[in-house]
Amino acid sequence: MTGTADVGVEKDSDESSAAVPAEPPGGPQSPSEEEPAAPVPPQVSLVKTKRDRAAKVPAPDHDPLDDAPPLDVDEPLLAARAHRPSDLIRFLAGVLGIVAVFVLAGIATSTTSGIEQDIATNAPHFSAVLSTITGLLSSVAVLAVPLSFAVERLIKRDGLRVADGVLASVLAYGVSLGIDWWVAEGASDHIRDALTRLATNSNGTLTDPVHGYLAPVIAYMTAVGMSSRPRWRVALWAVVLFSGITELLGGYTTPLSLMLTVLIGWSVAYGTLYAIGSPNIRPTGQHLMIGLRKVGFTPDSALRAPDAPGGTRRYHVTQQDGPPLDVHIIDREQQASGFFYRAWRRLRLRSVAVRRSPQSLRQALEQEALIAYAAAASGARAPQLVATSELGPDAAILVYEYVEGRTLDELADEDVTDRMMASLWQSVAALHERRIAHRRLTGESLLVVDEETGCLVNLSGGDIAATDLTLRIDVAQLLTTFALRIGPERAVSVANAVLGADRVAQALPLLQPVGMSRSTRVDLAKLTKERKTVARARALEQVASGERTQQQAEEDIAVAGEDLLSRLRGQILQIAPEAPMAPAKLERLKPKTLIMVIALTFAAYLALTTINPAQLKLSQMNWAWAAAALLAAAFSYVAAAMSLTGFVPEKLPFRRTVAAQIAGSFVKLVAPAAIGGMALNTRYLQKAGIRSGQAVASVGASQLAGLAGHLLLLFAFGLITGSQTNGDLSASRAVIIGVLSAAVLALVVAAVAPMRRFVLGRLRSLFFGVVPRMLDLMQTPSKLITGFGGILLLTLSFTACLDFSVQAFGGNVSFSAVAVVFLTANAAGSAIPTPGGIGPVEVALIGALTVADVSPSVATPAVFLYRALTFWLPVVPGWIAYNVLQRKSAL
C-alpha cells in the first residue's frame, strides 16, 4: 500500500507522533543556519485509499504534514490500538492495593478507629460556614475539571480518548456500587466500621464505603491520559485532595474509604485501557520522512522492511541525493512488548545470561548508538551508524547505511558456504577482542552479502565491557545457529579454523537450551521432534519388511533422538578432549523449584480447605484398624515398585525404586495421578541408564498390564460378590456401570474422527514399543511374576486400606464388595483429570460405599481416612524422597 494517514499531533502530548526538530549530524544549528527542506520531485504522489481514510486518527488544528509535500511510503497501517503491559501492571498493582486496604481494615481496627477519633475531635474547630463553602466548591470543581478537559479534548478532535474515559467512569461507578453492597451486606464488622461511619446530622445512616462520584472522576481522568499533561494532572489531584479533606472534616467519609476510592478509580481506568487498548501513538512512515529531512537527509521514498528482533520497526529509505538508508524506529510501544517474558528470564537466569533492558527511550537510543559506534571501531563488519534523532516525545530513529544482502534465515542450506561463515566468525572475534558481546547471533542477525562475506546486524541488544561468560555464550549461540543449518560437524570445523580449539572448547559448558535465544530453543525442539518422527516411521517400515530387528530399530530411534547440542558437544570433544564438560550455572531459579513451591502451597491450601477434622470423627475411630490401614497404605509402595521392576528387563535397585514411588506421591499434587506417575517413572528409568524409547515402553507395558489386571480383578471380585449375596446385585452394580461406561466411551472414540486418529496413533506406537518389550520379558518368567504380582498386591493393598478404614468406623462389609467399590469408584473418579483425583475420587468412593449398603455416617469418615493415609500423609515423605533422588541424579 502506498500512502499515509492523517495523524493528529499535539505539542508536548503523549499523542504526539510527528518529528520534532533534531540536531543534524554535525551538531546543533541556529534557526538562521538551518537549511530549508529539500524539494520533492513532482512525480512523487500521495495515494489515499479507503482503508487509509477508515483508519484516520483525529488531528489537531495544525498538522505538520501540511508544511511539506507528501512523500512516498509503502507500509501496512499500524494497529489502531495497542495493549500496553504497563497498563496491566498498574491494574494489578491497584488490585493489590485494594486487597491491602481490606486487609488493613480487617486487622488494624485500633489504628483506623484512632485516626477517625482524632479527625472527629478536631473537626469542630473547623467553621461550619467555611465547611459549607469548601464543600460546595469541591463539589463544583470535581465536576468542572473533567468537563473542561473533555471540552478541550473534543476541540482537539480527540473524541476517542473521551469515549475511553467515559467507559472507565461507568465501570468504576458499577464497581463502586458493588463494593458498597458487599460492605453493607457481607463484609465483617471490622471492615464495615473502618470504611463507613455515621453520617453527620442523620438518623443512623452510614456513609458510603466508596464515593460514588469521586471514583468515576478519577477513572475518567486517568483513562483519558493525563500523564504527559502536568497542568491538568496537578489540577485533578488538587481537586481530589481538596474534596477528600472536605469530606473527612465534614464527617462524610473515613481515611480508608478515601484510599479505597482512589485505588478503585485508578485500577478500573488501567484495566479498561488494557482490555480495549490505548490509541496507538507510534509514528508512521510519513513522520519518519519528515524527521529524516530535519536531520539533513533528502528522502525520496521508504519501504517497510521486516522488523528487527524485539519488534524494532525498520524502513529502507532511498534518497534524492545520497546513498540508501536503513532506518530503525524505537518507541515506547516496542519497548513494552515482551515485558513479561523478559521479567521471567531475568527472574530465572543469572544477570550475566540476560540482556540488559533499557529503562527509558533515551537509554535505549544511547545504548544502541554506543554499540554501533563500538562495533565500527572494532573492525567488525557491521552497518555504519550515520545519525540518530528523536522522533517526537515517544520515539527515536537510528539511521544506518544500507547494506544489500540476505539474512541466514533466507538462504537455502546449500548456499551457506564455509567462507561466508568464516567471515562472520571473524567479525565476532573482532567484537570479542574489544569485549563487545552481540547477544543475538541468530539467523536474522547474520546478513550474507555474498558467498564470501557476512555482516553482523541487530547489535542493539549487545553489551560493552562484556564478561568472559557473556562472550562464551555468544560463541555457543553462533555455533548452534550454524549447526541448525549445516550440521554440527561443519559448524565446529569452521569455528575451530577461525577461533582455535581453545576458544571453541570454552563454549562447551554453555551449550544448553536455557542459554539460547527463544527462537533457537524452538528450532532445537522442532529439529529433535522431526528427527525422531522420521526415524520412528523408517524403523516401523524396516521392522515390518524384516530389514532390521526390533533392537536395531530402537537403537536407530535413540540415535535420532539425540539432541543437536549433544552432537555439538561430541564434535567439540573430538578437537579438544580436555574441554570442560560440566554445564555452566546460568539459572538462579529452576522451573522445578518454582513448581515445588507452588505444589507445596497448593497442597497446604487443599489440605486446609478439604480436610475437616470433624468429618474424620476421630473420637469414634478404632485406632487398631486405623493402624492396619496405615500399614496397608505403606505396603502399596513396595507393590508399586514390584509392578515397575517386573516390566524392566534391566536390573534396578529395589530400594531406590520404592523411593521413586514414594516421590510420586508428591508429584500427584500438580498432575493427575496417572500422568504424573508415568512421567516420573519414565524419568527414573532414563536416569537409571535405560534408553528413552525403552523406558517409555517399559512404563507403557506396566500401565497396560495394570489396566488388564484391573479389569480381571473387577470381574473376579464382582462374581465373588454376586455369589456371596445370593444373586443380590446391589453390591455389583458398579461393575455393570463400569462396563456400560467403557462401551459408551469406545463408541464415542470410534465415532469422532479426531479422537479415533489419536487413539489409533497411540496404539501403533504401543504395539511398536510395548508389545516387543513384553515379548522380551517372556524370556524371563521371574520378571513377569514380579510385575503381575506387584499389580495384584498393589490393588489388594489399596483395597485392604479402604476395608480397614471402613472397619475403623464400625462398618461391616465383605472384602470382595470393598474391592468392587475401590476398583470401580477409583477408576471413575480418576477419569476426571484433577491433581490426585481430589474431589471426584472422594465423591465416587462415598457413593459406591453407600450403594454397597454402608451407611453415609460410616462411609464419609472412612473415605476421608483412606484418602488421608494414601494421598495426604505421603506428601511430606514424597517431597523428601523427590529431593533426595534429585540430589543423587536419580530423577
Side-chain angles (χ1 to χ4, degrees), residues 97-243:
I98 293 172
V99 173
V101 168
F102 283 121
V103 172
L104 185 63
I107 63 176
T109 54
S110 300
T111 302
T112 55
S113 60
I115 295 175
E116 292 177 16
Q117 290 177 2
D118 292 340
I119 295 174
T121 301
N122 294 288
H125 300 292
F126 194 58
S127 171
V129 176
L130 185 59
S131 176
T132 303
I133 295 175
T134 55
L136 178 63
L137 290 176
S138 64
S139 300
V140 173
V142 84
L143 295 176
V145 170
L147 182 62
S148 302
F149 186 77
V151 171
E152 189 259 355
R153 288 290 88 201
L154 291 174
I155 291 176
K156 294 294 181 67
R157 294 189 242 177
D158 196 8
L160 195 60
R161 288 273 192 179
V162 176
D164 294 344
V166 171
L167 176 60
S169 64
V170 171
L171 293 176
Y173 185 70
V175 172
S176 301
L177 292 180
I179 292 180
D180 286 346
W181 174 84
W182 175 76
V183 171
E185 301 294 335
S188 65
D189 294 337
H190 293 309
I191 293 178
R192 190 179 300 110
D193 293 341
L195 296 177
T196 62
R197 60 176 300 177
L198 290 175
T200 305
N201 300 326
S202 66
N203 297 324
T205 304
L206 294 177
T207 59
D208 293 332
V210 183
H211 286 271
Y213 66 89
L214 198 56
V217 168
I218 295 173
Y220 169 81
M221 297 297 284
T222 304
V224 294
M226 296 192 310
S227 59
S228 60
R229 298 177 174 84
R231 290 189 296 272
W232 284 106
R233 186 174 65 249
V234 170
L236 168 68
W237 290 112
V239 167
V240 170
L241 183 63
F242 185 52
S243 177

Side-chain angles (χ1 to χ4, degrees), residues 647-716:
F647 293 95
V648 180
E650 295 81 3
K651 184 176 178 60
L652 294 175
F654 190 73
R655 292 177 58 185
R656 182 169 291 186
T657 306
V658 173
Q661 305 314 301
I662 297 174
S665 301
F666 173 70
V667 177
K668 291 178 185 177
L669 290 172
V670 291
I675 298 175
M678 289 180 63
L680 183 135
N681 284 329
T682 303
R683 179 68 173 171
Y684 170 70
L685 294 180
Q686 290 174 343
K687 286 291 187 176
I690 300 173
R691 290 182 176 177
S692 177
Q694 295 176 339
V696 173
S698 294
V699 174
S702 175
Q703 294 292 321
L704 183 63
L707 176 61
H710 190 99
L711 294 176
L712 289 175
L713 288 172
L714 178 60
F715 181 73

Side-chain angles (χ1 to χ4, degrees), residues 43-118:
Q43 65 269 22
V44 178
S45 61
L46 175 67
V47 181
K48 288 189 176 183
T49 65
K50 293 181 179 179
R51 185 178 179 187
D52 291 324
R53 291 190 292 271
K56 184 180 294 184
V57 180
D61 297 334
H62 177 72
D63 193 323
L65 298 181
D66 297 335
D67 296 339
L71 299 172
D72 189 31
V73 180
D74 185 6
E75 67 170 343
L77 288 177
L78 300 177
R81 287 182 173 269
H83 300 274
R84 298 192 182 105
S86 58
D87 292 337
L88 177 59
I89 294 172
R90 292 188 178 99
F91 166 72
L92 295 176
V95 171
L96 291 177
I98 293 172
V99 173
V101 168
F102 283 121
V103 172
L104 185 63
I107 63 176
T109 54
S110 300
T111 302
T112 55
S113 60
I115 295 175
E116 292 177 16
Q117 290 177 2
D118 292 340

Side-chain angles (χ1 to χ4, degrees), residues 611-621 809 860-866 868:
I611 296 179
N612 187 354
Q615 292 177 320
L616 288 176
K617 299 182 180 180
L618 297 179
S619 60
Q620 304 176 15
M621 186 174 66
F809 291 96
T860 300
V863 169
F864 275 97
L865 176 61
Y866 164 77

Side-chain angles (χ1 to χ4, degrees), residues 420-438:
M420 178 271 295
M421 290 190 294
S423 172
L424 290 168
W425 276 117
Q426 289 167 1
S427 294
V428 171
L431 290 179
H432 288 186
E433 287 177 2
R434 301 296 180 90
R435 314 298 297 180
I436 304 171
H438 188 287

Side-chain angles (χ1 to χ4, degrees), residues 380-392:
R381 294 184 181 89
Q384 180 72 35
L385 180 66
V386 295
T388 61
S389 175
E390 291 186 347
L391 192 64

